[in-house]
């Protein structure tokens, strides 16, 4: 009897060991389709792009040669590339703080309403759902130097009219206004989600401690508890602003005098106007590197000030 029980125990142990060995292999087979899809649609194109940035390939050419880092050296001495990079950084510096602050203010105001909250949330979110290329035409009319309503308003109050898309010093702020308009509503939704997650007990405790002023309560309770949401909003807004292309391509095409050249528009010109795919790939690699570095720096800096 003891021998039969021991044989049965040995059999069960062997089956458990066999199952433990088979289970990981089955899991790998189930994960294989998603891994292949990830490699084929995301990793492989990036590797191909990096490889092409090391060549002199032109769109439609039958042959090309390996040039090493010559494309990157060309970018280092290209004034157009550096101008587009500075213009993009200027655009990001204008759009990110304004859209984050306006989104936060709208979220706090809408969240405090007792009636009409859904209406205002939908109204402020509408720019996110609209096609930016189509709305760019509307903005071109609104900010037009002669027939635009904005300039009519300026002249009505005694101010001179402005050429928003014709003045090199005003074109990037004008594009930034459109960027803030399109991003503030989305940021408002994110901040609203963060506000609803704050426990009401914290506000009750702050009231007990004598913090009754809404502004003081905002900086003492609300803003620290919105730390994770704020970090996420800043990073996503920075990446979106750095990818500005639509409004430049539709409204200014880099003008006037190259004042609105941005990185992705110059990349588009190199790849699909001048057919220099190798150089365009190098610009894309630099762009991805900047985005990655920007995200890592922001996450590292903001994480120290985030309250979890």
């Amino acid at each position: 009897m003891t021998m039969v029980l021991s044989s049965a125990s040995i059999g069960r142990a062997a089956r458990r060991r066999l199952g433990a060995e088979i289970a990981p292999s089955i899991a790998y087979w189930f994960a294989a389709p998603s891994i292949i899809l990830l490699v084929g649609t995301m990793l492989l194109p990036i590797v191909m792009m990096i490889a092409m940035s090391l060549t002199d390939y032109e769109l439609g050419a039958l042959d090309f040669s390996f040039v090493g880092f010559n494309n990157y050296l060309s970018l280092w001495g290209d004034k157009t590339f550096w101008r587009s990079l500075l213009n993009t950084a200027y655009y990001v510096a204008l759009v990110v703080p304004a859209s984050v602050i306006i989104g936060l203010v709208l979220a706090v105001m809408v969240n405090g309403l007792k009636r009409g909250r859904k209406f205002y949330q939908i109204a402020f979110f509408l720019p996110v759902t609209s096609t930016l290329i189509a709305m760019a035409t509307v903005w071109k009319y609104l900010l037009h130097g002669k027939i635009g309503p904005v300039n009519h308003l300026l002249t009505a109050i005694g101010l001179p009219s402005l050429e928003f898309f014709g003045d090199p010093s005003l074109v990037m702020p004008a594009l930034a206004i459109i960027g803030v308009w399109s991003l503030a509503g989305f940021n408002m939704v994110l901040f609203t989600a963060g506000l609803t997650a704050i426990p009401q007990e914290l506000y009750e405790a702050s009231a007990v401690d004598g913090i009754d002023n809404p502004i003081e309560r905002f900086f003492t309770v609300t803003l620290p508890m919105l730390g994770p949401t704020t970090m996420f909003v800043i990073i996503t807004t920075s990446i979106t602003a750095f990818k500005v292309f639509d409004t430049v391509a539709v409204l200014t095409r880099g003008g006037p005098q190259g004042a609105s050249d941005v990185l992705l528009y110059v990349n588009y010109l190199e790849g699909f106007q001048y057919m220099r795919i190798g150089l365009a790939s190098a610009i894309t690699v630099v762009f991805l590197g900047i985005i990655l570095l920007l995200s890592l720096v922001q996450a590292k800096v903001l994480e120290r000030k985030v309250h979890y």
Side-chain angles (χ1 to χ4, degrees):
M1 184 69 177
T2 304
M3 185 178 297
V4 173
L5 291 175
S6 61
S7 299
S9 301
I10 293 173
R12 286 195 296 270
R15 285 195 297 270
R16 282 196 296 269
R17 286 197 298 270
L18 181 61
E21 294 175 359
I22 295 176
S25 61
I26 294 177
Y28 292 143
W29 280 109
F30 277 113
S34 60
I35 294 174
I36 294 173
L37 185 64
L38 175 65
V39 172
T41 59
M42 296 186 66
L43 299 182
L44 185 59
I46 293 176
V47 173
M48 292 283 295
M49 179 189 61
I50 295 174
M52 294 191 68
S53 71
L54 304 176
T55 68
D56 61 353
Y57 176 70
E58 295 185 2
L59 192 63
L62 299 178
D63 58 348
F64 58 90
S65 58
F66 179 78
V67 297
F69 293 97
N70 285 352
N71 288 326
Y72 296 96
L73 294 177
S74 298
L75 292 179
W76 182 262
D78 190 354
K79 294 181 179 179
T80 302
F81 169 76
W82 285 107
R83 182 176 67 238
S84 67
L85 185 60
L86 291 175
N87 287 340
T88 305
Y90 179 39
Y91 178 86
V92 172
L94 292 175
V95 170
V96 174
S99 60
V100 172
I101 293 174
I102 292 175
L104 177 59
V105 171
L106 290 177
V108 173
M109 292 175 61
V110 172
N111 193 64
L113 295 176
K114 295 182 179 180
R115 292 183 179 180
R117 182 185 303 178
K118 294 295 182 182
F119 169 78
Y120 286 106
Q121 287 178 345
I122 294 174
F124 290 128
F125 191 73
L126 281 177
V128 183
T129 63
S130 62
T131 304
L132 191 57
I133 294 179
M135 294 306 300
T137 307
V138 177
W139 278 101
K140 187 173 184 178
Y141 163 71
L142 292 174
L143 300 177
H144 195 276
K146 295 181 178 179
I147 62 174
V150 174
N151 271 312
H152 282 305
L153 178 62
L154 292 177
T155 54
I157 61 177
L159 297 176
S161 60
L162 301 174
E163 288 288 344
F164 289 99
F165 298 120
D167 189 340
S169 63
L170 294 177
V171 62
M172 290 309 295
L175 293 173
I177 291 173
I178 303 174
V180 172
W181 171 82
S182 64
L183 288 172
F186 183 70
N187 292 342
M188 178 205 68
V189 173
L190 296 177
F191 279 121
T192 301
L195 288 171
T196 56
I198 299 177
Q200 292 298 318
E201 291 80 3
L202 294 178
Y203 293 108
E204 296 173 359
S206 64
V208 173
D209 292 337
I211 305 176
D212 294 327
N213 188 284
I215 297 178
E216 187 179 1
R217 185 172 58 184
F218 172 79
F219 286 102
T220 305
V221 180
T222 305
L223 194 59
M225 293 301 298
L226 284 176
T229 304
T230 304
M231 183 178 71
F232 178 76
V233 169
I234 291 176
I235 292 176
T236 55
T237 304
S238 300
I239 294 175
T240 303
F242 215 91
K243 295 190 298 183
V244 57
F245 170 78
D246 301 2
T247 50
V248 174
V250 174
L251 294 176
T252 64
R253 298 183 180 179
Q257 304 172 15
S260 63
D261 275 334
V262 291
L263 203 57
L264 285 187
Y265 185 71
V266 171
N267 191 14
Y268 162 77
L269 292 178
E270 290 292 342
F272 298 99
Q273 294 290 328
Y274 311 138
M275 307 301 179
R276 296 194 286 253
I277 299 299
L279 190 60
S281 299
I283 296 176
T284 306
V285 172
V286 173
F287 172 78
L288 292 178
I290 293 173
I291 290 292
L292 179 61
L293 181 62
L294 182 66
S295 301
L296 292 176
V297 170
Q298 286 183 334
K300 194 70 175 178
V301 173
L302 294 174
E303 190 176 5
R304 299 175 182 175
K305 302 179 181 180
V306 169
H307 175 78
Y308 289 95

